[in-house]
Structure formats: C-alpha cells, structure tokens
Amino acid sequence: MFEEKLDLRLPGPVQVPKEIQRAMLRSFDHPMMDYRNPAFQDVLQETTEKSKTIFQTENLVIPLTSSGASALETAIINTVGPNDTIILCVVGYFGEYLQGITDHIGCKTVRVDAEWGKIVDPEDVRKALKENPEARAVFATHCETSTSAINNIKEIAAVVKETDAIFLVDAVSSIVGTPLYMDEWGIDIVATGGQKALMLPPGLALITLSEKAWNTVNDHQCPSFYFDLKLYKKGLESGTGTPYTPNISLVCGLLEACNMIERNGGIEAEYKRHAALRDMTRAGVRALGLELLVDDSAASPTLTAVKLNNADEFRKMMREDFHIALGGGLGKVKNQILRLGHMGYTDAADMLKMFAAMELALLKTGYEVELGAGVSAAQRHWLENPYC
Amino acid sequence: MFEEKLDLRLPGPVQVPKEIQRAMLRSFDHPMMDYRNPAFQDVLQETTEKSKTIFQTENLVIPLTSSGASALETAIINTVGPNDTIILCVVGYFGEYLQGITDHIGCKTVRVDAEWGKIVDPEDVRKALKENPEARAVFATHCETSTSAINNIKEIAAVVKETDAIFLVDAVSSIVGTPLYMDEWGIDIVATGGQKALMLPPGLALITLSEKAWNTVNDHQCPSFYFDLKLYKKGLESGTGTPYTPNISLVCGLLEACNMIERNGGIEAEYKRHAALRDMTRAGVRALGLELLVDDSAASPTLTAVKLNNADEFRKMMREDFHIALGGGLGKVKNQILRLGHMGYTDAADMLKMFAAMELALLKTGYEVELGAGVSAAQRHWLENPYC
C-alpha cells in the first residue's frame, strides 16, 4: 500500500529536511536562476562563508557541481601529476576509490593499508613518508563508509605536517557528524559531498584548501578544465562566482543546511548530537546480542556497521515489512554486515523505531531475541545522554 | 515589491515547469534515494531510454552529475590524449571553452574559426582534415550561445565521416530546440546539459556516443576517474547504474521533461515550436528597427542576439521596471548585444509581453519606437504560424 514510504537509515543519501526542500524549491522559478546577478551571487557568497564553520576553517570553501567522488579526484589532480608519488591510507571500499583515481592519472602510489573495520596506524604513515621522501601528498579517508571506522586524522595530520607533503582528507561521510578541525589539526585539503550529514540530495561536492595546498596547486598544471581549482578561486574571490553554471538549487539547500546547524547551536552541537546517536545505536546493537564491526575507539558517529549472516535477507524484510532501508555490505563484506545510518535528519525516536522493527525481523529470521531488549538499551542510553 | 518576480528570457538557465518541479520534489523523501535499488534504477533505465529520442539516436545516453561544460570535457578526455591532434570549430565565447579544455590536456589543436555571429564553412573543416590527417577528432559547437548562430552540423558531419576522425558536437543550448539527428547525420559524440531547452535546473549533463566513438574510447586511457565513460557504460548496461552517486532529483526531472515532450507530440513538435518562437522573435526585433546579429540562414531557434548600444543599461531597466531578465553580451561583445532567450518553458504570450516591455524601455532610453510595432509584428507572425 505504501510504496513510496521508506525510512532511510542508510549511510547516505539521507532524508532531506523539509526546510531544505523548501529552500531548493524556492530557487526554481526565481531571479537566482539568472546566476551571474546579485540575487544568486549574494547567496553564493553567504553560503561559502557559512560553510567554513562545517570545516572548522578560515580557508575558502569551493562548491563543485558534482558528486562527492569528484571532490576526491579534484583534490588529487590539482596537486599530484603522473610523475609524482602519493601515499594512500586505505581501510575499506572507499579508500580504494583513491587508488582508482591515481590509476587513472598514472602516478606512483604507496599504500598504507589496514584491515577492513580497523584504522591506519599514524606511525605507518610516518614510516611511509620516511621511505618515500619524494611523496607530494598523503590522502586518508576520515570516515570509511563501507566499515564505519574513523581514521585518526588528527594524529596523521601531525605526522604529515612535519614534512613537505600535503595532507588530503576524504570527509564525505564524516563532515558535520564527526569532529574535524581543519585549521587546528593542519589538514591541507578536505573534500566532501552534500548527501550525507549535510542533509542535501546528491549533486553537490565541497572542497577547501590550506595555504600550503594552494602553493602546490598554483605550481601545478591541472589536467582538468572543469575541476581546475585555480579557476574557481579566481571566480569566487572576484565575486563573479563559479566558472561554470552552478547547481543553484543545491547551493540554496546548502545555505539552509548551514542555517539549520547554526540555529541548533552550531557545529559542536552537531558533533554531540551525532555522538549520542552513535552511542545509543551501539548500546541497542549490543543488547540484541549482535557484534559490532568497529571498536568503540574508532566508531563513526554517522553510521554503525554490524556483523550479520545473510544480512541482505534481513534488510529485505526490514524494507518490505517495516519500510525501513538499512545499508548492506560492499565489496568483500557483501551480505555479511548491516550498515545502520544515523546521520543528518535523524532523531532518537527514529533509532528506537528501527530497533523495534529489527527485533521483530531478527525473530522472524530465526535469531533468539528478547523483545524490547534493543529498544530499552537505547532508551536507557538516551535517558543519560539526551542529546539527540 | 516583487523582489522574487522575474521572467527568465535568458539563454539558460530557464524557468522550470511546475511538472518538473513536482517530479524533482517527489524524489527528496522517497525510496528512490536508496539509489542502488529498483525504485531508482528502473527510473534511471526509463530515463536514459527515453532520452535517446532527444538526440535522435539508438546509442546509450549517459547522465553525468555535473554542468554542461563537463560534458564537453568528458567528450574530449575520453578520446584525445596529450600527443593527439584535435580540430576545433570556434565561432564564439563557448567555442573557446573547447580550447580551454585542450589547453588543460596539452594536446595539439587546429582551429577553424569564424567571426562572431558567423558560422564555420564545412569546406574549411575538409581543408583542416586534409592538412592534418593525423587529427583524431573534430569538435564543433552546434548553437553558439554567445552569438545565437547555428553551425551546419549536418554538413560538417558529412565531411568528417569521410575520414577516420570522430565528430564531437556541443549541443548544450541546441538540444531539443534545434533539429539534430545524431544517427542520421553520423555524429560520434553529442554532449549537452539540462538547463537549456530541456527545462531542468542546472546540475545534469548528458553525453552519447556512436559505435565509432566507443571504439576510440575503448582504446584510450581516460585520465579522469569521475568522467571515465567506460565505467558509466559498464554500470548502465549491467543495471547497477552510474558509478558514482547520481543527482537523483535531476534524473527524475529529466524523465518528466521527456514525458512532457512526448505528450506534446514528440521531439519534432519541439523543433517546430522553437522555430516558430525564433521567427516571431525575429519579426518583432526587425519591426522595432533593431539589427539581428545572425543571418536568417544560421539563426538559432533557442535564442536571438540583437545588436544594441549600451545593452546593459537597457537590460537593467527591463529587469527593474518590468521584471524581465534578458541575456547580455559575453567577452568581446559585452554591452553591445542583447540575447533574447526563447527556449523551453516559453510560449508566444511570453514573447509578446517581452516585446511590449521592450518598446517602453527603448522609448525611455532614447530610441524612436512606434508603440505596438514589435508586438504586432510578432502577433502577425503567430497568426500565420501558431505553433508556439
């Protein structure tokens, strides 16, 4: 009956808040569409200015009309050429994207790997930098969306900062939900997308660069016209805007997302809210007797991976019987894990609903579960930490 | 009082029909957001299938989450490398984009230029191909948006077809509004964007390739991960979709645009409708005593450039007094021309309103104009050709 009803408890794309839907809709038949005029340029200026807070930076934030994956590529092709070396920190499926990008360029890559579900040891990065002193850049995923593990970006940044290399971070599924202090930690490039904890529908990517990174970019011939960051910097700083037609409605949506975050107490409140969502989720999962893929010390505030045999059959039941979509395993953990998304437009009651439905679906698929166990553990956590 | 009121008589972005607004809005809180599932994959399949009609092709149509400019780059970087030669047909500001792309790659370019407002002589292309037999590709703009001139794509295609080179066409502002028969004419790659006569807000590009083009693509190492067409082909043909998160709402909008065109009698009816809009516009402009930039034989059905001194002051009055936005001159014709957009969501009455307001604005800026002259010429044209 309810074909179009579905709770998106996914690791993105996420549900789009009504506020953002209205902000986007407003742009469709509006003077902003004449985008070289102040009606839009003022909005663009305000949006890029307010976006700085979500990166905890004073650097220029550049919106790209494209998906998050393109921001990773943009970070690399503006700084690393075919004859250069780059160190990649890979801890899962999306870390492999970085290898996909460098394979296309044909540059030399040095990998610092960790098992799926684990994170990179910053000392391994130090070793790789020592063994490859010519390395121009180190790239690490912040939240590895395929495993829900959070790399220790602060410590890796401290290691890279001691060298001439620049430090690039994929913050696609971490931004807003996970503490990330670009300037304080000394990250050189942060690349992200809008369709995760920023609560936008897909189609907008963001990238921001430190002065050290801009020095590299300015000395580097970017092979792409569309993703040449020098052209974006020139346009945004001179007030003429992006070099190519921007996704006007998503920029309007981003401004509303920034305003929503501001109204709710700012970015630190978002970190606290997502941490509370993570912790109540982990309490519920444990109470159901299920195993978490990632240790507490590296657990993402935006999604939680849970080991489960025949996970896809379970997901199918959750979807068909209860209209709740859960993420599944990618690549080598396909059908072996659930990924429970709790980023963006999600509150405590959404998670309680999910646990109540999961208890029924577990029972129906043959697990021994005490009804109410997951829900009440999550409830108890919320009573102590009512931040979400 | 009406700060948000503005008729967009621009060469794009255009007004978004209510039907498309609703189709996009529907996607925001919908199972389609879980885009690897059939709820979206079926829509994607239907959309790419229906999009074939707007290119008049049987080839696979690939949606890119990016602006139109990126589709031009995608066409080139998937077929031409740093050691290759490409022939560029440049007749205005957007033709120079092609040079911008090849400058980034560093390949050898041979230019076939025409004066702004004029078009390329196909015999000059033949000569360039003879003098540069190693040329891998010829790239021509179909509608040069900065001048409103339409290159003779059919004849250029016939010339290129006699060689091993492939023929690439920028159809960003021509698609849907201007006859373009990809398969019949033998074009190898057509690249376009959604924010012109396709009536979408910006953020989606489309590209389609002939078998001859795919043979080149398959033998070529694409330097970009995000724009590697081989990955898109593999994903779309296997039913897993685009390799990266697509702009789901714009794909839904594109499907509705295709359905609107279909309901109105198909793509040929759109050609006829746009030709009628062009011809009534040209009749009105002439009756106002203004000079058209482009000869009838090369005039675009999607926009019309008109010579006018101090055009930007005139545009300001149109915008402030009558809430009508007209396009202005780009690059070397800045402030010297108007560009009147009549693509997509535009009907005859919209053009009559524009002419009525233009008559007043011309009078107020010191021109001698007989009130009603432009309007009645356009009306008379419509009485004979009521196709818009």
Side-chain angles (χ1 to χ4, degrees):
Chain A
M1 179 172 178
F2 300 133
E3 269 181 16
E4 303 200 12
K5 182 169 168 51
L6 192 67
D7 271 23
L8 301 173
R9 296 275 76 73
L10 295 172
V14 296
Q15 261 150 348
V16 180
K18 292 181 187 67
E19 293 88 335
I20 290 176
Q21 294 187 30
R22 282 193 297 264
M24 290 181 63
L25 192 64
R26 176 168 175 263
S27 74
F28 286 168
D29 197 4
H30 194 277
M32 283 188 281
M33 280 289 161
D34 190 8
Y35 66 93
R36 294 285 177 211
N37 276 282
F40 179 69
Q41 290 302 319
D42 291 351
V43 168
L44 181 62
Q45 191 76 28
E46 188 183 351
T47 307
T48 55
E49 196 57 37
K50 288 199 172 171
S51 299
K52 291 178 177 178
T53 59
I54 61 182
F55 294 94
Q56 307 267 14
T57 189
E58 290 303 316
N59 297 314
L60 176 72
V61 175
I62 295 173
L64 301 170
T65 295
S66 45
S67 301
S70 76
L72 311 182
E73 175 164 342
T74 299
I76 296 179
I77 61 177
N78 276 273
T79 53
V80 175
N83 300 318
D84 296 325
T85 300
I86 182 170
I87 296 170
L88 306 179
C89 304
V90 178
V91 301
Y93 186 88
F94 290 99
E96 296 292 349
Y97 267 37
L98 306 179
Q99 182 77 58
I101 295 164
T102 54
D103 284 350
H104 277 77
I105 300 176
C107 59
K108 185 186 162 197
T109 57
V110 175
R111 291 188 43 145
V112 178
D113 283 60
E115 213 180 307
W116 285 37
K118 305 291 183 195
I119 58 172
V120 158
D121 182 346
E123 287 310 310
D124 288 346
V125 177
R126 190 189 305 278
K127 210 176 128 208
L129 278 163
K130 215 166 264 175
E131 287 169 4
N132 302 275
E134 80 287 5
R136 262 176 100 82
V138 175
F139 206 142
T141 317
H142 190 193
C143 175
E144 171 51 61
T145 322
S146 66
T147 67
S148 73
I150 296 280
N151 267 315
N152 193 334
I153 294 300
K154 184 181 178 182
E155 284 191 24
I156 302 174
V159 168
V160 181
K161 212 162 34 171
E162 292 171 13
T163 71
D164 288 337
I166 53 172
F167 184 38
L168 285 48
V169 172
D170 163 5
V172 170
S173 65
S174 69
I175 201 79
V176 173
T178 312
L180 177 87
Y181 300 87
M182 182 180 187
D183 293 356
E184 192 186 318
W185 292 355
I187 305 168
D188 294 303
I189 304 186
V190 181
T192 193
Q195 79 281 13
K196 307 282 183 181
L198 262 170
M199 307 179 286
L200 304 178
L204 196 75
L206 296 169
I207 190 164
T208 173
L209 296 86
S210 72
E211 202 187 321
K212 185 176 171 187
W214 277 116
N215 288 339
T216 302
V217 170
N218 289 333
D219 285 343
H220 180 76
Q221 164 74 26
C222 174
S224 170
F225 180 63
Y226 190 68
F227 292 127
D228 186 341
L229 290 173
K230 290 189 278 289
L231 302 177
Y232 284 84
K233 186 169 197 265
K234 196 176 149 197
L236 289 168
E237 288 186 344
S238 69
T240 59
T242 54
Y244 316 109
T245 314
N247 189 318
I248 294 161
S249 51
L250 281 173
V251 170
C252 294
L254 174 58
L255 177 57
E256 180 56 27
C258 291
N259 287 336
M260 287 173 74
I261 292 168
E262 197 176 292
R263 287 196 298 269
N264 191 46
I267 187 72
E268 296 287 342
E270 277 297 276
Y271 297 158
K272 193 169 179 179
R273 192 173 72 80
H274 281 88
L277 284 163
R278 171 194 61 201
D279 294 342
M280 81 179 277
T281 302
R282 293 173 74 82
V285 168
R286 284 194 170 105
L288 292 174
L290 300 177
E291 196 182 341
L292 295 156
L293 182 66
V294 175
D295 289 346
D296 284 350
S297 60
S300 170
T302 55
L303 77 151
T304 298
V306 180
K307 295 186 190 175
L308 189 73
N309 289 331
N310 294 321
D312 291 348
E313 190 194 326
F314 178 82
R315 289 169 61 222
K316 190 161 177 270
M317 180 177 287
M318 286 291 287
R319 192 182 178 97
E320 290 179 359
D321 289 2
F322 304 114
H323 306 105
I324 299 176
L326 307 179
L330 296 172
K332 63 182 176 186
V333 293
K334 192 168 163 52
N335 205 22
Q336 296 168 34
I337 63 168
L338 300 174
R339 291 181 300 148
L340 314 175
H342 37 78
M343 59 183 84
Y345 201 44
T346 308
D347 62 19
D350 291 328
M351 301 314 290
L352 297 176
K353 174 184 176 183
M354 180 197 73
F355 277 120
M358 278 179 71
E359 290 171 4
L360 293 177
L362 283 167
L363 264 186
K364 298 280 274 182
T365 48
Y367 283 82
E368 275 188 38
V369 175
E370 188 194 337
L371 288 181
V375 172
S376 61
Q379 286 171 320
R380 278 191 300 274
H381 190 277
W382 187 85
L383 284 171
E384 299 291 317
N385 304 275
Y387 308 121
C388 57
Chain B
M1 180 172 177
F2 300 134
E3 269 180 16
E4 303 200 12
K5 182 169 168 52
L6 192 67
D7 272 23
L8 301 173
R9 297 275 76 74
L10 295 172
V14 296
Q15 261 151 348
V16 180
K18 292 180 187 67
E19 293 88 335
I20 290 177
Q21 294 187 30
R22 283 193 297 263
M24 290 182 64
L25 192 64
R26 176 169 175 262
S27 73
F28 286 168
D29 198 4
H30 194 276
M32 283 188 280
M33 279 289 161
D34 190 8
Y35 66 93
R36 294 284 177 212
N37 276 282
F40 179 69
Q41 290 302 319
D42 291 350
V43 168
L44 181 62
Q45 191 76 29
E46 188 183 352
T47 307
T48 54
E49 195 57 36
K50 288 199 171 170
S51 299
K52 291 178 178 178
T53 60
I54 61 182
F55 294 94
Q56 306 267 13
T57 189
E58 290 303 317
N59 297 314
L60 176 71
V61 175
I62 295 173
L64 302 170
T65 295
S66 45
S67 302
S70 77
L72 312 182
E73 175 164 343
T74 299
I76 296 179
I77 62 177
N78 277 273
T79 53
V80 175
N83 300 318
D84 297 325
T85 300
I86 182 170
I87 296 170
L88 306 180
C89 303
V90 178
V91 301
Y93 186 88
F94 290 99
E96 297 291 349
Y97 267 36
L98 306 179
Q99 182 77 58
I101 295 164
T102 54
D103 284 351
H104 277 77
I105 300 176
C107 59
K108 185 186 163 198
T109 57
V110 174
R111 291 189 42 146
V112 177
D113 283 60
E115 212 180 307
W116 285 37
K118 306 290 182 196
I119 58 173
V120 158
D121 182 346
E123 287 310 309
D124 289 346
V125 176
R126 191 189 305 277
K127 210 176 127 208
L129 278 164
K130 215 165 264 175
E131 288 170 3
N132 302 276
E134 80 287 5
R136 262 176 100 82
V138 175
F139 206 141
T141 317
H142 191 192
C143 175
E144 171 51 61
T145 321
S146 67
T147 67
S148 73
I150 296 280
N151 267 315
N152 193 334
I153 295 300
K154 184 181 178 182
E155 284 191 24
I156 302 174
V159 167
V160 181
K161 213 162 33 171
E162 292 171 13
T163 71
D164 289 337
I166 53 172
F167 184 39
L168 285 48
V169 172
D170 163 5
V172 170
S173 65
S174 68
I175 201 79
V176 172
T178 312
L180 177 87
Y181 300 87
M182 182 180 186
D183 293 356
E184 192 186 318
W185 292 355
I187 305 168
D188 295 303
I189 305 187
V190 181
T192 194
Q195 79 281 13
K196 307 281 184 182
L198 262 170
M199 307 179 286
L200 304 178
L204 196 75
L206 296 169
I207 190 165
T208 173
L209 296 85
S210 72
E211 203 187 321
K212 184 176 171 187
W214 277 116
N215 288 339
T216 302
V217 170
N218 290 333
D219 285 343
H220 180 76
Q221 163 75 25
C222 174
S224 170
F225 181 62
Y226 190 67
F227 292 127
D228 186 340
L229 290 173
K230 291 190 276 291
L231 302 177
Y232 284 83
K233 186 170 197 265
K234 196 176 150 198
L236 289 168
E237 289 186 344
S238 69
T240 59
T242 54
Y244 316 109
T245 314
N247 189 318
I248 294 161
S249 51
L250 281 173
V251 170
C252 294
L254 174 58
L255 177 57
E256 180 56 27
C258 291
N259 287 336
M260 287 174 74
I261 292 168
E262 197 176 292
R263 286 196 298 269
N264 192 46
I267 187 72
E268 296 286 341
E270 276 297 276
Y271 297 158
K272 193 169 179 179
R273 192 173 73 79
H274 281 87
L277 284 163
R278 171 194 59 201
D279 294 342
M280 81 179 277
T281 301
R282 293 173 73 83
V285 168
R286 285 194 170 106
L288 292 174
L290 299 177
E291 196 182 340
L292 295 156
L293 182 67
V294 175
D295 289 346
D296 284 351
S297 60
S300 170
T302 55
L303 77 152
T304 298
V306 180
K307 295 186 189 174
L308 189 73
N309 290 331
N310 294 321
D312 291 348
E313 190 195 326
F314 178 82
R315 289 169 61 222
K316 190 161 177 271
M317 180 178 286
M318 287 290 287
R319 192 182 178 98
E320 290 179 359
D321 289 1
F322 304 114
H323 305 104
I324 299 176
L326 307 178
L330 296 172
K332 63 182 177 187
V333 293
K334 192 168 163 52
N335 205 21
Q336 296 168 35
I337 63 168
L338 301 174
R339 291 181 300 147
L340 313 176
H342 37 78
M343 59 183 84
Y345 200 45
T346 308
D347 62 19
D350 292 328
M351 301 315 289
L352 297 176
K353 174 184 176 183
M354 180 198 73
F355 277 120
M358 278 179 71
E359 290 171 3
L360 294 177
L362 283 168
L363 264 186
K364 298 280 274 182
T365 48
Y367 284 83
E368 275 187 39
V369 175
E370 187 194 337
L371 289 181
V375 172
S376 61
Q379 286 171 321
R380 278 191 300 275
H381 190 277
W382 187 85
L383 285 171
E384 298 291 318
N385 304 275
Y387 308 121
C388 57

